[in-house]
Amino acid sequence: MREAAEALDVKVWRGNAHGGGYRSYSVPAQESQTVLDVVTWIQQHAEPTLTYRFACRVGMCGSCAMMVNGEPRWTCRTHVRRVLDGKRLEIAPLRNLPVIKDLATDMAEFFDKWTGAEGVFHPTATRKDAIAPISPADPMRQLANEAVECINCAVCYSACDTVTANPSYLGPAALNRAWTLQNDERDGAYAPRLRAVSADGGCFNCHSHQSCLTYCPNDLNPTASIAGLKRLSSTSFLRRGRTR
Amino acid sequence: MIGLRLYLAQRLSAFLMAPLVIGHIATMIYAVQNGLTASEILDRTQGSLWWGAFYGLFVGAVSVHAAIGLRAIAFETLNLPVRWLNPLTWTVGMVLALLGGRAVAAVVF
């Protein structure tokens, strides 16, 4: 990797649940440098106690999301040159989640909402049964496919203004997951999940701002999934509880 | 804090309001362009079941729609505690229905 002569002016949020602030670091600019590379350089060369979270470095595990110049991003796949503001780079923990330390947030609330939205597969068969044949051309399977590549990075949750304003709102990731399961023929919790996603903190609180769609690193459209859940819940109610 | 019933009530009231808003604007343009006086308008509306039903339905839909919309704003923007949301929704809805109903009664009866 060729090292350029110039340096980046990087501000990183340091602190914990009780508060904190930004500290400045000068980081050598390099070619094909990602935001995660910058954070790693700071920890290895300037601030050994800097806390952050990452695992796969290839955009699969969803653990390295942070606020970069005010916007939520997966840092391992975000090239510095795409987000640099002049030479300035400001890195902070994800919005809408409590901070544990520095750039690491507490994801418990995020995953609790997944289970709150019944974003859990409920099997209807045992391992002794034959595998259910589901055609890739099946319309329900195609709907599920469009939303299934979520990596749980919480970028959409962090981008969502409704989550900011309404802490009980389940959020786009949990509802998107619920939508994929409502379109999974093998799942056995259609009615309980419909009740979970149409409760007070559920899909009906979405204002369709579409920040989740704008920022999803995998180009998913949780707003469309939530609209699908609104449609399913409303239709079921108008049919007096009959679901499919 | 919007659940299934409030969501449906707001969508159905919007569904009703869409043609009523167009009808209301068309009526206003007609009345203004033809230079109708207040008494000429009242001549047309008083005793009219049609205008009573038109604006009565309009007032009902507005009362439901605005009360639920303000509920969301009060909770999300003004951080009103959850226990106040139902009283607020009912109060706004009733006040709008009362004021609107009074106006409709004044031009129809």
Side-chain angles (χ1 to χ4, degrees):
Chain A
M1 195 181 288
R2 187 174 59 82
E3 193 161 326
E6 60 193 85
L8 305 171
D9 170 21
V10 184
K11 285 191 171 66
V12 177
W13 195 91
R14 307 280 330 265
N16 55 34
H18 304 295
Y22 285 94
R23 286 193 204 164
S24 295
Y25 305 91
S26 182
V27 180
Q30 293 179 325
E31 215 172 83
S32 302
Q33 188 177 25
T34 66
V35 175
L36 185 63
D37 291 335
V38 169
V39 176
T40 301
W41 189 95
I42 292 171
Q43 194 207 45
Q44 291 184 350
H45 295 92
E47 196 78 78
T49 61
L50 177 65
T51 302
Y52 64 108
R53 197 184 275 130
F54 76 97
C56 75
R57 299 181 296 165
V58 290
M60 292 182 73
C61 73
S63 59
C64 69
M66 301 168 198
M67 301 300 289
V68 180
N69 282 350
E71 297 180 18
R73 300 204 179 262
W74 54 352
T75 56
C76 71
R77 298 289 299 271
T78 302
H79 279 252
V80 167
R81 64 178 155 73
R82 286 185 50 216
V83 292
L84 211 54
D85 177 12
K87 286 185 180 178
R88 190 185 72 89
L89 199 61
E90 193 175 273
I91 304 168
L94 276 181
R95 177 175 169 251
N96 290 344
L97 287 165
V99 175
I100 299 173
K101 182 174 175 288
D102 301 337
L103 301 172
T105 51
D106 185 351
M107 306 284 283
E109 164 191 311
F110 175 73
F111 288 110
D112 284 349
K113 287 182 177 177
W114 273 61
T115 50
E118 280 289 348
V120 181
F121 180 64
H122 293 266
T124 50
T126 67
R127 65 182 65 187
K128 292 172 184 147
D129 296 314
I131 295 172
I134 296 175
S135 165
D138 181 86
M140 280 176 69
R141 187 63 232 172
Q142 289 186 343
L143 288 173
N145 279 349
E146 286 172 12
V148 84
E149 295 292 343
C150 174
I151 57 170
N152 318 349
C153 65
V155 161
C156 61
Y157 190 82
S158 180
C160 179
D161 287 337
T162 308
V163 171
T164 311
N166 180 355
S168 64
Y169 176 47
L170 294 168
L175 292 168
N176 181 72
R177 171 67 178 152
W179 171 247
T180 62
L181 289 166
Q182 290 306 70
N183 287 292
D184 189 336
E185 285 179 29
R186 302 164 305 156
D187 181 85
Y190 189 93
R193 190 174 298 110
L194 216 49
R195 278 196 294 278
V197 300
S198 57
D200 271 354
C203 60
F204 296 111
N205 291 279
C206 171
H207 296 304
S208 306
H209 293 153
Q210 304 190 44
S211 300
C212 49
L213 165 64
T214 303
Y215 288 103
C216 176
N218 271 345
D219 291 332
L220 303 183
N221 186 352
T223 309
S225 300
I226 296 167
L229 289 175
K230 287 176 180 174
R231 204 163 48 243
L232 286 184
S233 303
S234 305
T235 311
S236 166
F237 178 77
L238 295 172
R239 289 177 179 173
R240 295 171 188 272
R242 281 185 286 121
T243 47
R244 295 196 208 216
Chain B
M1 294 296 267
I2 305 284
L4 171 60
R5 284 179 170 77
L6 288 175
Y7 172 83
L8 280 178
Q10 203 179 25
R11 290 310 182 272
L12 290 173
S13 56
F15 183 73
L16 279 176
M17 272 159 53
L20 295 173
V21 166
I22 293 168
H24 175 62
I25 292 172
T27 306
M28 283 199 308
I29 292 170
Y30 173 81
V32 168
Q33 289 200 340
N34 285 285
L36 291 179
T37 63
S39 63
E40 284 170 333
I41 291 172
L42 285 174
D43 281 347
R44 288 164 167 77
T45 58
Q46 278 179 337
S48 165
L49 192 66
W50 158 251
W51 284 118
F54 183 94
Y55 278 107
L57 196 60
F58 202 165
V59 165
V62 167
S63 304
V64 170
H65 194 82
I68 299 170
L70 288 173
R71 172 194 180 93
I73 293 170
F75 178 66
E76 294 184 9
T77 308
L78 306 176
N79 296 319
L80 195 74
V82 173
R83 67 179 181 279
W84 288 106
L85 293 179
N86 280 341
L88 174 85
T89 310
W90 278 104
T91 306
V92 171
M94 297 302 278
V95 167
L96 286 175
L98 197 71
L99 294 175
R102 198 167 154 260
V104 173
V107 294
V108 174
F109 299 116

